[in-house]
Structures are given as structure tokens and as C-alpha cells.
PDB file of all heavy atoms in Angstrom:
ATOM      1  N   GLY A   1      85.135 120.522 109.278  1.00  0.00           N
ATOM      2  CA  GLY A   1      85.854 119.274 109.501  1.00  0.00           C
ATOM      3  C   GLY A   1      84.966 118.073 109.749  1.00  0.00           C
ATOM      4  O   GLY A   1      85.454 116.977 109.993  1.00  0.00           O
ATOM      5  N   ILE A   2      83.658 118.260 109.691  1.00  0.00           N
ATOM      6  CA  ILE A   2      82.726 117.179 109.990  1.00  0.00           C
ATOM      7  C   ILE A   2      82.349 116.449 108.706  1.00  0.00           C
ATOM      8  O   ILE A   2      81.903 117.055 107.738  1.00  0.00           O
ATOM      9  CB  ILE A   2      81.467 117.716 110.677  1.00  0.00           C
ATOM     10  CG1 ILE A   2      81.849 118.372 112.011  1.00  0.00           C
ATOM     11  CG2 ILE A   2      80.456 116.600 110.890  1.00  0.00           C
ATOM     12  CD1 ILE A   2      80.672 119.022 112.713  1.00  0.00           C
ATOM     13  N   THR A   3      82.547 115.118 108.682  1.00  0.00           N
ATOM     14  CA  THR A   3      82.175 114.322 107.507  1.00  0.00           C
ATOM     15  C   THR A   3      80.686 114.021 107.560  1.00  0.00           C
ATOM     16  O   THR A   3      80.171 113.591 108.604  1.00  0.00           O
ATOM     17  CB  THR A   3      82.945 112.989 107.499  1.00  0.00           C
ATOM     18  OG1 THR A   3      84.333 113.277 107.564  1.00  0.00           O
ATOM     19  CG2 THR A   3      82.630 112.182 106.245  1.00  0.00           C
ATOM     20  N   PRO A   4      79.944 114.271 106.468  1.00  0.00           N
ATOM     21  CA  PRO A   4      78.508 113.979 106.455  1.00  0.00           C
ATOM     22  C   PRO A   4      78.233 112.520 106.811  1.00  0.00           C
ATOM     23  O   PRO A   4      79.021 111.628 106.482  1.00  0.00           O
ATOM     24  CB  PRO A   4      78.110 114.278 105.007  1.00  0.00           C
ATOM     25  CG  PRO A   4      79.161 115.208 104.515  1.00  0.00           C
ATOM     26  CD  PRO A   4      80.422 114.821 105.209  1.00  0.00           C
ATOM     27  N   VAL A   5      77.096 112.275 107.476  1.00  0.00           N
ATOM     28  CA  VAL A   5      76.739 110.922 107.901  1.00  0.00           C
ATOM     29  C   VAL A   5      76.642 109.983 106.715  1.00  0.00           C
ATOM     30  O   VAL A   5      77.078 108.829 106.759  1.00  0.00           O
ATOM     31  CB  VAL A   5      75.404 110.947 108.679  1.00  0.00           C
ATOM     32  CG1 VAL A   5      74.932 109.524 108.966  1.00  0.00           C
ATOM     33  CG2 VAL A   5      75.559 111.726 109.976  1.00  0.00           C
ATOM     34  N   SER A   6      76.089 110.430 105.613  1.00  0.00           N
ATOM     35  CA  SER A   6      75.940 109.578 104.439  1.00  0.00           C
ATOM     36  C   SER A   6      77.296 109.097 103.931  1.00  0.00           C
ATOM     37  O   SER A   6      77.462 107.941 103.534  1.00  0.00           O
ATOM     38  CB  SER A   6      75.195 110.326 103.325  1.00  0.00           C
ATOM     39  OG  SER A   6      75.912 111.498 102.974  1.00  0.00           O
ATOM     40  N   THR A   7      78.305 109.968 103.956  1.00  0.00           N
ATOM     41  CA  THR A   7      79.647 109.595 103.521  1.00  0.00           C
ATOM     42  C   THR A   7      80.263 108.574 104.471  1.00  0.00           C
ATOM     43  O   THR A   7      80.909 107.614 104.045  1.00  0.00           O
ATOM     44  CB  THR A   7      80.553 110.840 103.437  1.00  0.00           C
ATOM     45  OG1 THR A   7      79.944 111.814 102.603  1.00  0.00           O
ATOM     46  CG2 THR A   7      81.928 110.475 102.897  1.00  0.00           C
ATOM     47  N   LEU A   8      80.058 108.766 105.770  1.00  0.00           N
ATOM     48  CA  LEU A   8      80.570 107.802 106.749  1.00  0.00           C
ATOM     49  C   LEU A   8      79.979 106.420 106.523  1.00  0.00           C
ATOM     50  O   LEU A   8      80.672 105.410 106.562  1.00  0.00           O
ATOM     51  CB  LEU A   8      80.246 108.281 108.172  1.00  0.00           C
ATOM     52  CG  LEU A   8      81.105 109.410 108.736  1.00  0.00           C
ATOM     53  CD1 LEU A   8      80.526 109.859 110.077  1.00  0.00           C
ATOM     54  CD2 LEU A   8      82.552 108.967 108.901  1.00  0.00           C
ATOM     55  N   ASN A   9      78.686 106.353 106.280  1.00  0.00           N
ATOM     56  CA  ASN A   9      78.031 105.077 106.037  1.00  0.00           C
ATOM     57  C   ASN A   9      78.561 104.394 104.791  1.00  0.00           C
ATOM     58  O   ASN A   9      78.759 103.176 104.758  1.00  0.00           O
ATOM     59  CB  ASN A   9      76.517 105.273 105.912  1.00  0.00           C
ATOM     60  CG  ASN A   9      75.870 105.600 107.253  1.00  0.00           C
ATOM     61  OD1 ASN A   9      76.441 105.294 108.291  1.00  0.00           O
ATOM     62  ND2 ASN A   9      74.702 106.222 107.220  1.00  0.00           N
ATOM     63  N   GLU A  10      78.836 105.175 103.748  1.00  0.00           N
ATOM     64  CA  GLU A  10      79.387 104.618 102.519  1.00  0.00           C
ATOM     65  C   GLU A  10      80.776 104.049 102.765  1.00  0.00           C
ATOM     66  O   GLU A  10      81.125 102.971 102.278  1.00  0.00           O
ATOM     67  CB  GLU A  10      79.437 105.700 101.446  1.00  0.00           C
ATOM     68  CG  GLU A  10      78.058 106.095 100.916  1.00  0.00           C
ATOM     69  CD  GLU A  10      78.118 107.316 100.021  1.00  0.00           C
ATOM     70  OE1 GLU A  10      79.248 107.777  99.762  1.00  0.00           O
ATOM     71  OE2 GLU A  10      77.057 107.797  99.594  1.00  0.00           O
ATOM     72  N   LYS A  11      81.598 104.754 103.540  1.00  0.00           N
ATOM     73  CA  LYS A  11      82.950 104.285 103.855  1.00  0.00           C
ATOM     74  C   LYS A  11      82.894 102.994 104.656  1.00  0.00           C
ATOM     75  O   LYS A  11      83.623 102.041 104.395  1.00  0.00           O
ATOM     76  CB  LYS A  11      83.711 105.358 104.638  1.00  0.00           C
ATOM     77  CG  LYS A  11      84.131 106.561 103.799  1.00  0.00           C
ATOM     78  CD  LYS A  11      84.906 107.544 104.654  1.00  0.00           C
ATOM     79  CE  LYS A  11      85.356 108.748 103.822  1.00  0.00           C
ATOM     80  NZ  LYS A  11      86.083 109.741 104.638  1.00  0.00           N
ATOM     81  N   ARG A  12      82.006 102.921 105.640  1.00  0.00           N
ATOM     82  CA  ARG A  12      81.884 101.725 106.458  1.00  0.00           C
ATOM     83  C   ARG A  12      81.440 100.531 105.625  1.00  0.00           C
ATOM     84  O   ARG A  12      81.898  99.419 105.810  1.00  0.00           O
ATOM     85  CB  ARG A  12      80.899 101.966 107.598  1.00  0.00           C
ATOM     86  CG  ARG A  12      81.459 102.862 108.695  1.00  0.00           C
ATOM     87  CD  ARG A  12      80.394 103.214 109.712  1.00  0.00           C
ATOM     88  NE  ARG A  12      80.922 104.122 110.724  1.00  0.00           N
ATOM     89  CZ  ARG A  12      80.176 104.866 111.513  1.00  0.00           C
ATOM     90  NH1 ARG A  12      78.867 104.832 111.409  1.00  0.00           N
ATOM     91  NH2 ARG A  12      80.735 105.644 112.413  1.00  0.00           N
ATOM     92  N   LEU A  13      80.548 100.765 104.696  1.00  0.00           N
ATOM     93  CA  LEU A  13      80.077  99.688 103.833  1.00  0.00           C
ATOM     94  C   LEU A  13      81.217  99.131 102.994  1.00  0.00           C
ATOM     95  O   LEU A  13      81.369  97.918 102.851  1.00  0.00           O
ATOM     96  CB  LEU A  13      78.956 100.209 102.922  1.00  0.00           C
ATOM     97  CG  LEU A  13      78.338  99.178 101.972  1.00  0.00           C
ATOM     98  CD1 LEU A  13      77.704  98.044 102.769  1.00  0.00           C
ATOM     99  CD2 LEU A  13      77.289  99.841 101.079  1.00  0.00           C
ATOM    100  N   THR A  14      82.071 100.003 102.479  1.00  0.00           N
ATOM    101  CA  THR A  14      83.213  99.567 101.681  1.00  0.00           C
ATOM    102  C   THR A  14      84.180  98.743 102.520  1.00  0.00           C
ATOM    103  O   THR A  14      84.632  97.681 102.118  1.00  0.00           O
ATOM    104  CB  THR A  14      83.950 100.790 101.084  1.00  0.00           C
ATOM    105  OG1 THR A  14      83.042 101.547 100.292  1.00  0.00           O
ATOM    106  CG2 THR A  14      85.127 100.349 100.242  1.00  0.00           C
ATOM    107  N   VAL A  15      84.474  99.219 103.732  1.00  0.00           N
ATOM    108  CA  VAL A  15      85.368  98.497 104.630  1.00  0.00           C
ATOM    109  C   VAL A  15      84.774  97.135 104.977  1.00  0.00           C
ATOM    110  O   VAL A  15      85.464  96.128 105.000  1.00  0.00           O
ATOM    111  CB  VAL A  15      85.632  99.314 105.913  1.00  0.00           C
ATOM    112  CG1 VAL A  15      86.359  98.480 106.950  1.00  0.00           C
ATOM    113  CG2 VAL A  15      86.443 100.560 105.579  1.00  0.00           C
ATOM    114  N   TYR A  16      83.470  97.099 105.229  1.00  0.00           N
ATOM    115  CA  TYR A  16      82.802  95.829 105.574  1.00  0.00           C
ATOM    116  C   TYR A  16      82.989  94.809 104.463  1.00  0.00           C
ATOM    117  O   TYR A  16      83.337  93.664 104.718  1.00  0.00           O
ATOM    118  CB  TYR A  16      81.312  96.086 105.819  1.00  0.00           C
ATOM    119  CG  TYR A  16      80.539  94.836 106.136  1.00  0.00           C
ATOM    120  CD1 TYR A  16      80.441  94.375 107.445  1.00  0.00           C
ATOM    121  CD2 TYR A  16      79.924  94.102 105.135  1.00  0.00           C
ATOM    122  CE1 TYR A  16      79.754  93.223 107.745  1.00  0.00           C
ATOM    123  CE2 TYR A  16      79.239  92.948 105.423  1.00  0.00           C
ATOM    124  CZ  TYR A  16      79.147  92.512 106.733  1.00  0.00           C
ATOM    125  OH  TYR A  16      78.466  91.364 107.023  1.00  0.00           O
ATOM    126  N   CYS A  17      82.786  95.205 103.223  1.00  0.00           N
ATOM    127  CA  CYS A  17      82.885  94.283 102.092  1.00  0.00           C
ATOM    128  C   CYS A  17      84.306  93.761 101.914  1.00  0.00           C
ATOM    129  O   CYS A  17      84.500  92.601 101.591  1.00  0.00           O
ATOM    130  CB  CYS A  17      82.422  94.976 100.813  1.00  0.00           C
ATOM    131  SG  CYS A  17      80.650  95.329 100.794  1.00  0.00           S
ATOM    132  N   GLU A  18      85.284  94.610 102.138  1.00  0.00           N
ATOM    133  CA  GLU A  18      86.670  94.218 101.903  1.00  0.00           C
ATOM    134  C   GLU A  18      87.248  93.392 103.048  1.00  0.00           C
ATOM    135  O   GLU A  18      87.995  92.452 102.826  1.00  0.00           O
ATOM    136  CB  GLU A  18      87.533  95.479 101.696  1.00  0.00           C
ATOM    137  CG  GLU A  18      87.241  96.194 100.388  1.00  0.00           C
ATOM    138  CD  GLU A  18      88.045  97.472 100.270  1.00  0.00           C
ATOM    139  OE1 GLU A  18      88.768  97.818 101.233  1.00  0.00           O
ATOM    140  OE2 GLU A  18      87.950  98.129  99.218  1.00  0.00           O
ATOM    141  N   GLU A  19      86.925  93.734 104.283  1.00  0.00           N
ATOM    142  CA  GLU A  19      87.605  93.157 105.434  1.00  0.00           C
ATOM    143  C   GLU A  19      86.826  92.036 106.124  1.00  0.00           C
ATOM    144  O   GLU A  19      87.357  91.382 107.011  1.00  0.00           O
ATOM    145  CB  GLU A  19      87.920  94.248 106.457  1.00  0.00           C
ATOM    146  CG  GLU A  19      88.914  95.268 105.918  1.00  0.00           C
ATOM    147  CD  GLU A  19      89.389  96.224 106.990  1.00  0.00           C
ATOM    148  OE1 GLU A  19      88.978  96.067 108.155  1.00  0.00           O
ATOM    149  OE2 GLU A  19      90.182  97.116 106.658  1.00  0.00           O
ATOM    150  N   HIS A  20      85.589  91.792 105.711  1.00  0.00           N
ATOM    151  CA  HIS A  20      84.796  90.754 106.352  1.00  0.00           C
ATOM    152  C   HIS A  20      84.653  89.511 105.475  1.00  0.00           C
ATOM    153  O   HIS A  20      83.836  88.642 105.756  1.00  0.00           O
ATOM    154  CB  HIS A  20      83.415  91.289 106.731  1.00  0.00           C
ATOM    155  CG  HIS A  20      83.444  92.166 107.943  1.00  0.00           C
ATOM    156  ND1 HIS A  20      84.117  93.350 107.985  1.00  0.00           N
ATOM    157  CD2 HIS A  20      82.897  92.008 109.174  1.00  0.00           C
ATOM    158  CE1 HIS A  20      83.979  93.909 109.164  1.00  0.00           C
ATOM    159  NE2 HIS A  20      83.251  93.115 109.913  1.00  0.00           N
ATOM    160  N   SER A  21      85.469  89.412 104.452  1.00  0.00           N
ATOM    161  CA  SER A  21      85.389  88.244 103.571  1.00  0.00           C
ATOM    162  C   SER A  21      85.738  86.961 104.323  1.00  0.00           C
ATOM    163  O   SER A  21      85.224  85.881 103.981  1.00  0.00           O
ATOM    164  CB  SER A  21      86.329  88.418 102.369  1.00  0.00           C
ATOM    165  OG  SER A  21      87.665  88.587 102.800  1.00  0.00           O
ATOM    166  N   PHE A  22      86.591  87.059 105.343  1.00  0.00           N
ATOM    167  CA  PHE A  22      86.925  85.876 106.147  1.00  0.00           C
ATOM    168  C   PHE A  22      85.680  85.298 106.795  1.00  0.00           C
ATOM    169  O   PHE A  22      85.459  84.088 106.790  1.00  0.00           O
ATOM    170  CB  PHE A  22      87.939  86.244 107.227  1.00  0.00           C
ATOM    171  CG  PHE A  22      88.237  85.106 108.159  1.00  0.00           C
ATOM    172  CD1 PHE A  22      89.226  84.176 107.863  1.00  0.00           C
ATOM    173  CD2 PHE A  22      87.515  84.949 109.339  1.00  0.00           C
ATOM    174  CE1 PHE A  22      89.492  83.116 108.716  1.00  0.00           C
ATOM    175  CE2 PHE A  22      87.776  83.890 110.200  1.00  0.00           C
ATOM    176  CZ  PHE A  22      88.770  82.972 109.884  1.00  0.00           C
ATOM    177  N   PHE A  23      84.846  86.180 107.341  1.00  0.00           N
ATOM    178  CA  PHE A  23      83.647  85.735 108.042  1.00  0.00           C
ATOM    179  C   PHE A  23      82.621  85.166 107.059  1.00  0.00           C
ATOM    180  O   PHE A  23      81.927  84.190 107.356  1.00  0.00           O
ATOM    181  CB  PHE A  23      83.055  86.889 108.851  1.00  0.00           C
ATOM    182  CG  PHE A  23      84.051  87.508 109.793  1.00  0.00           C
ATOM    183  CD1 PHE A  23      84.572  88.758 109.548  1.00  0.00           C
ATOM    184  CD2 PHE A  23      84.507  86.809 110.904  1.00  0.00           C
ATOM    185  CE1 PHE A  23      85.504  89.321 110.405  1.00  0.00           C
ATOM    186  CE2 PHE A  23      85.436  87.356 111.772  1.00  0.00           C
ATOM    187  CZ  PHE A  23      85.943  88.616 111.517  1.00  0.00           C
ATOM    188  N   THR A  24      82.562  85.778 105.872  1.00  0.00           N
ATOM    189  CA  THR A  24      81.688  85.255 104.835  1.00  0.00           C
ATOM    190  C   THR A  24      82.118  83.856 104.422  1.00  0.00           C
ATOM    191  O   THR A  24      81.292  82.950 104.262  1.00  0.00           O
ATOM    192  CB  THR A  24      81.699  86.178 103.606  1.00  0.00           C
ATOM    193  OG1 THR A  24      81.249  87.480 103.990  1.00  0.00           O
ATOM    194  CG2 THR A  24      80.798  85.641 102.498  1.00  0.00           C
ATOM    195  N   ALA A  25      83.426  83.650 104.286  1.00  0.00           N
ATOM    196  CA  ALA A  25      83.942  82.332 103.900  1.00  0.00           C
ATOM    197  C   ALA A  25      83.634  81.295 104.971  1.00  0.00           C
ATOM    198  O   ALA A  25      83.277  80.148 104.655  1.00  0.00           O
ATOM    199  CB  ALA A  25      85.451  82.411 103.656  1.00  0.00           C
ATOM    200  N   TYR A  26      83.760  81.685 106.241  1.00  0.00           N
ATOM    201  CA  TYR A  26      83.439  80.755 107.336  1.00  0.00           C
ATOM    202  C   TYR A  26      81.963  80.368 107.273  1.00  0.00           C
ATOM    203  O   TYR A  26      81.608  79.183 107.377  1.00  0.00           O
ATOM    204  CB  TYR A  26      83.755  81.402 108.675  1.00  0.00           C
ATOM    205  CG  TYR A  26      83.606  80.472 109.862  1.00  0.00           C
ATOM    206  CD1 TYR A  26      84.711  79.849 110.431  1.00  0.00           C
ATOM    207  CD2 TYR A  26      82.359  80.211 110.427  1.00  0.00           C
ATOM    208  CE1 TYR A  26      84.583  79.000 111.519  1.00  0.00           C
ATOM    209  CE2 TYR A  26      82.218  79.367 111.510  1.00  0.00           C
ATOM    210  CZ  TYR A  26      83.335  78.763 112.052  1.00  0.00           C
ATOM    211  OH  TYR A  26      83.190  77.919 113.120  1.00  0.00           O
TER     212      TYR A  26
END
């Protein structure tokens, strides 16, 4: 049930790109 660290980092990177566009625009 443990997700590999590399996969977690990839998921976080995707979320960062999609959900932080507001901060980039600012």
C-alpha cells in the first residue's frame, strides 16, 4: 500500500502546475 517516493513527487509536481497558476499570475 506504500506509494513510491518518485511517484509522490511526480503527483505533487502535477498538482503544483495546475493549482498554483493564480500565484504565477500574481
Side-chain angles (χ1 to χ4, degrees):
I2 298 176
T3 304
V5 173
S6 59
T7 305
L8 284 173
N9 288 338
E10 289 171 5
K11 287 181 179 178
R12 286 173 183 161
L13 181 61
T14 302
V15 170
Y16 178 87
C17 292
E18 290 176 357
E19 295 189 2
H20 284 63
S21 59
F22 175 87
F23 305 108
T24 300
Y26 186 99

